[in-house]
Amino acid sequence: MSSEEYKTCRYPWKTAQILSDGSVRPCCWCEGSLGNLQDKDMKEIWYGKKAQDLRNHINSGIVHSMCINAACAYRQDTEI
C-alpha cells in the first residue's frame, strides 16, 4: 500500500470499538473515548460532538488529540 492510501482515516465513519466498561472508541489504536454506553446510547455517541469533532479534524488533515499516540498508519503518516 502506498502512503497516499493512509492520508485519511475512515474508521470514525465505519467502525466503533466497545470496551467492557462501555467506553466507545473510534478504533483499536485510539486511546480516547467518544463516550460511554453507560451514560448515552450508541446513536448519541456516534452522532455526538466528540465524534463529529474527530471527523472534522480528519477531514481537515489535523491529528485530533485522541489520535496523537495512536500506532496506526494514518497517525504515522500525518503531521501533528
Side-chain angles (χ1 to χ4, degrees):
M1 261 184 206
S2 72
S3 64
E4 285 300 310
E5 293 180 53
Y6 293 116
K7 291 290 184 191
T8 189
C9 174
R10 304 315 307 159
Y11 286 105
W13 286 269
K14 292 182 168 187
T15 67
Q17 180 185 34
I18 301 171
L19 304 182
S20 60
D21 68 354
S23 296
V24 178
R25 293 181 178 181
C27 70
C28 62
W29 296 286
C30 195
E31 294 180 1
S33 174
L34 297 173
N36 193 295
L37 292 172
Q38 294 181 26
D39 303 321
K40 297 179 180 179
D41 65 35
M42 188 62 189
K43 187 174 181 179
E44 289 177 291
I45 294 170
W46 188 256
Y47 294 105
K49 182 172 175 12
K50 284 186 178 182
Q52 295 302 322
D53 189 46
L54 174 61
R55 293 175 186 129
N56 288 336
H57 272 73
I58 292 170
N59 282 336
S60 299
I62 301 168
V63 176
H64 191 277
S65 60
M66 79 169 58
C67 299
I68 287 176
N69 295 319
C72 63
Y74 166 72
R75 171 55 199 100
Q76 294 170 7
D77 195 47
T78 308
E79 292 182 28
I80 294 178

